[in-house]
């Protein structure tokens, strides 16, 4: 993690400050049993699980996925609609609502994270912009029985229990009664993004949708064929993978596989490029605006 922070583009202007934030989090997490408060973009705050990987990344890096998170903030505009599947504690949802005044529907099935998602929305005064739904999303509706952990969540047959088992209602994205036509969607559910996308054909076919951000499980990336299947689904709907340079506001041809991938609708590429170039900056900390 510390080596990643040394190379991370967000921390390169103030590495000592990033390490100071990390040490502050470590000390705080070692003495508290409940959620810790983490400074976030544009003077927002996030309550986070004290020992999770996500909290480590937010504490040290702020923008844990710099290209994808900057893309969200730079692309969205006021009152546009963003769908976040696998919202966790709400970093992307808060980012979209607080920096771009976007409207968000955020899906998170794990009870502890869903509670933090709701608290983070309320903490930052975003209740009128973020609709929090404690639901799982997949290809087939029904009910999911799963073991929840602080780092990953997988269905029962795939993981040895480390916490109490709980069930969650499952919906297809196309049946979820969304509040409008999303211009941007994100899917990051810990390894089963393909199932979510297979249940979202109507949304993916909607010409209003300009881009999709897809997470990938770094622990399974090398042996898993799912990223190629995800790419095939999205390419059938006219999306192509892209890279984003938030410092130069440039959409680039993808040169290497990332943990989080950005797919843009090819027919809307010029529109997307123009928006990114014209976007207002986001304040990461006192010394950095992107």
């Amino acid at each position: 993690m510390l080596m990643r922070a040394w190379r991370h583009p967000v921390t390169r202007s103030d590495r000592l400050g990033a390490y100071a934030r990390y040490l502050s989090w470590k000390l705080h997490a070692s003495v508290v049993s409940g959620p810790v408060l983490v400074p976030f973009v544009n003077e927002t705050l996030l309550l986070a699980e004290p020992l999770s990987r996500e909290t480590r990344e937010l504490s040290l890096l702020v923008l844990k996925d710099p290209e994808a998170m900057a893309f969200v903030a730079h692309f969205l505009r006021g009152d546009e609609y963003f769908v976040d599947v696998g919202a966790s504690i709400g970093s992307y949802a808060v980012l979209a609502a607080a920096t771009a005044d976007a409207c968000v529907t955020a899906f998170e099935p794990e009870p502890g994270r869903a509670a933090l998602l709701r608290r983070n929305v309320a903490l930052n005064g975003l209740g009128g912009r973020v609709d929090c739904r404690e639901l799982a999303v997949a290809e087939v509706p029904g009910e999911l029985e799963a073991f929840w952990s602080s780092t990953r969540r997988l269905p029962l047959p795939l993981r040895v229990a480390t916490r109490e088992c709980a069930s969650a209602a499952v919906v297809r994205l196309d049946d979820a009664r969304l509040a409008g036509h999303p211009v941007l969607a994100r899917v990051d559910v810990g390894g089963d993004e393909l199932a979510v996308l297979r249940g979202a054909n109507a949304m993916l076919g909607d010409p209003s949708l300009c881009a999709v951000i897809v997470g990938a499980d770094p622990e399974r990336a090398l042996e898993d064929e799912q990223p190629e299947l995800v790419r095939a689904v999205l390419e059938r709907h006219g999306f192509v993978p892209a890279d984003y340079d938030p410092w130069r506001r440039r959409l680039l041809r993808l040169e290497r596989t990332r943990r989080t991938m950005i797919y843009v609708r090819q027919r809307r590429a010029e529109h997307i490029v123009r928006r990114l170039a014209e976007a207002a900056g986001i304040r990461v900390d006192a010394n950095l605006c992107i």
Side-chain angles (χ1 to χ4, degrees):
M1 174 62 76
L2 294 179
M3 286 303 299
R4 182 186 171 203
W6 185 263
R7 298 188 297 266
H8 197 275
V10 169
T11 62
R12 61 188 172 193
S13 63
D14 186 18
R15 292 187 174 103
L16 292 180
Y19 289 149
R21 288 195 304 271
Y22 182 72
L23 289 174
S24 175
W25 162 74
K26 288 281 286 185
L27 290 172
H28 191 54
S30 66
V31 297
V32 299
S33 57
V36 295
L37 201 59
V38 180
F40 196 45
V41 299
N42 284 22
E43 300 183 346
T44 57
L45 297 167
L46 293 175
L47 286 164
E49 298 166 315
L51 300 178
S52 73
R53 182 178 67 192
E54 181 177 19
T55 306
R56 291 199 303 270
E57 293 175 333
L58 289 167
S59 300
L60 184 56
L61 309 173
V62 185
L63 294 182
K64 58 190 181 74
D65 307 318
E67 293 82 9
M69 293 186 113
F71 183 90
V72 169
H74 291 162
F75 176 73
L76 287 169
R77 298 292 186 270
D79 295 326
E80 290 186 333
Y81 189 31
F82 170 52
V83 172
D84 189 10
V85 180
S88 188
I89 64 170
S91 58
Y92 275 85
V94 169
L95 172 76
T99 65
D101 290 327
C103 298
V104 184
T105 295
F107 295 88
E108 174 52 51
E110 194 274 315
R113 289 196 187 101
L116 286 174
L117 167 64
R118 291 189 292 268
R119 291 178 66 183
N120 284 327
V121 169
L123 175 66
N124 292 287
L126 300 172
R129 294 203 165 270
V130 182
D131 173 20
C132 305
R133 303 190 188 184
E134 193 170 328
L135 296 168
V137 181
E139 183 180 7
V140 180
E143 190 169 346
L144 170 70
E145 193 170 11
F147 292 112
W148 310 102
S149 77
S150 63
T151 56
R152 296 174 66 195
R153 51 186 181 275
L154 292 173
L156 258 173
L158 301 180
R159 191 166 178 82
V160 176
T162 57
R163 290 192 181 181
E164 187 174 333
C165 181
S167 61
V170 182
V171 297
R172 294 172 71 250
L173 207 48
D174 283 346
D175 300 333
R177 297 185 180 179
L178 299 177
H181 297 275
V183 299
L184 178 63
R186 171 180 171 265
V187 179
D188 188 351
V189 294
D192 207 9
E193 290 74 22
L194 181 62
V196 176
L197 295 172
R198 283 176 170 168
N201 284 307
M203 186 189 75
L204 294 175
D206 186 339
S208 299
L209 186 67
C210 294
V212 181
I213 296 170
V214 181
D217 187 343
E219 297 179 26
R220 301 169 61 189
L222 292 178
E223 71 271 8
D224 196 356
E225 64 177 0
Q226 184 165 188
E228 289 303 316
L229 297 175
V230 164
R231 179 170 178 163
V233 168
L234 290 170
E235 286 182 341
R236 284 201 301 272
H237 288 277
F239 294 90
V240 294
D243 209 344
Y244 179 51
D245 181 345
W247 284 266
R248 293 187 292 169
R249 303 290 182 89
R250 292 181 59 187
L251 200 62
L252 308 169
R253 184 184 299 275
L254 187 69
E255 298 293 340
R256 65 186 186 278
T257 301
R258 294 188 179 278
R259 184 173 65 168
T260 300
M261 302 285 287
I262 301 169
Y263 291 84
V264 298
R265 192 180 295 278
Q266 195 163 19
R267 290 183 299 175
R268 304 299 302 277
E270 290 185 9
H271 167 71
I272 295 168
V273 167
R274 186 169 60 251
R275 276 194 165 210
L276 296 172
E278 296 171 352
I282 56 173
R283 177 66 62 182
V284 178
D285 57 33
N287 302 309
L288 180 62
C289 184
I290 299 176

